[in-house]
Amino acid sequence: MKIGFYSESVADQAALAVFTEGILGEPPEPIDMALEGHGVTSVLSLLANVFRGVYYNSDAQGLVVVVDCDDTELHSPDHDKPDGEGKRCRLCQARAIVAGAEKNLKRRQGRTELKVAFGLAVPAIEAWYLVGKNHQVGEAAWIVGLNAKNPPFRRRELKQLVYGTDRPSIELETDRAKEEARRILDNITAIEMAFPAGFGSMAREIRSWKFK
Ligand SMILES: [Zn+2]
């Protein structure tokens, strides 16, 4: 299955391809279009354009979109109910942006529907890379920390833990991200359990593509 990945950096996108291999049980095929990473503030603002570009100009069958949560709202199953979307939830925002863009698509001949899965990393995707290594990562610990006004991790600390520096080069970032994703690949259940809303729901969406 040809799948494109869109998130804050190309390093994350490379790791998402590895995670998707674990989710699908086979490596996703690359699409014939390069997607750039766009930084935390731009991922959402550029998403409609990226989605349209992938739909019209690539051979992708699926697109995986992952946003870092930072200090915004965590996604919850309640958001999946009709009119339940979280106003400060970036996963819900991303879904709404794609749903809006889908309404105006012109059907392309020979083009199958472009399926989209959404993930939300709490507080940043580096937390996903620490599953199995650091037991404090996970949505449950994050919620407890937020309620106590003492979040278990800051973005910079996570980077430090994963890359050994909070300002990694893109090469180092890509190598480390892929390495950790490959380590976790054999135990996708562990990451789904640690991050049920942000990773688990994305994994379920991706799995559902296989059988259509
Ligand atoms: Zn949500």
Side-chain angles (χ1 to χ4, degrees):
M1 185 166 197
K2 290 177 188 291
I3 302 176
F5 299 91
Y6 179 57
S7 64
E8 288 177 23
S9 86
V10 290
D12 302 341
Q13 288 164 199
L16 288 169
V18 178
F19 284 133
T20 301
E21 180 181 337
I23 292 164
L24 288 174
E26 60 186 29
E29 289 174 64
I31 66 170
D32 59 358
M33 179 182 183
L35 293 179
E36 287 172 48
H38 280 294
V40 64
T41 48
S42 313
V43 169
L44 288 177
S45 59
L46 295 171
L47 178 56
N49 275 337
V50 168
F51 170 76
R52 275 191 291 267
V54 171
Y55 178 82
Y56 286 118
N57 305 319
S58 86
D59 59 356
Q61 298 163 287
L63 176 67
V64 176
V65 178
V66 172
V67 205
D68 283 358
C69 180
D70 296 308
D71 55 358
T72 62
E73 188 180 348
L74 188 59
H75 184 67
S76 118
D78 286 343
H79 296 178
D80 298 334
K81 294 173 185 162
D83 298 320
E85 77 266 19
K87 296 283 176 254
R88 289 187 69 243
C89 169
R90 288 180 179 164
L91 191 150
C92 288
Q93 289 169 358
R95 266 190 193 158
I97 290 166
V98 168
E102 274 173 335
K103 278 186 197 153
N104 302 310
L105 286 182
K106 294 183 188 70
R107 290 279 152 229
R108 275 177 60 197
Q109 223 171 12
R111 178 64 161 115
T112 51
E113 179 197 359
L114 175 61
K115 298 180 186 306
V116 189
F118 301 92
L120 182 72
V122 178
I125 199 163
E126 282 79 13
W128 288 1
Y129 305 154
L130 291 168
V131 166
K133 275 192 166 174
N134 187 314
H135 296 296
Q136 281 177 293
V137 296
E139 290 170 2
W142 178 256
I143 292 168
V144 170
L146 270 195
N147 289 342
K149 300 209 182 325
N150 182 22
F153 287 107
R154 303 269 174 210
R155 200 180 172 87
R156 282 177 76 163
E157 292 167 55
L158 288 170
K159 284 187 186 285
Q160 191 76 42
L161 284 168
V162 173
Y163 310 118
T165 163
D166 60 358
R167 307 192 69 177
S169 66
I170 190 64
E171 291 80 16
L172 174 66
E173 199 182 325
T174 307
D175 286 350
R176 290 290 303 129
K178 281 165 73 176
E179 204 176 319
E180 295 295 6
R182 182 97 9 228
R183 176 182 60 79
I184 295 165
L185 182 135
D186 290 334
N187 196 358
I188 284 291
T189 314
I191 186 167
E192 288 189 67
M193 282 171 67
F195 297 91
F199 188 98
S201 62
M202 174 189 79
R204 280 194 299 279
E205 280 180 293
I206 293 173
R207 260 184 218 114
S208 75
W209 297 348
K210 255 180 108 169
F211 305 106
K212 283 177 186 161

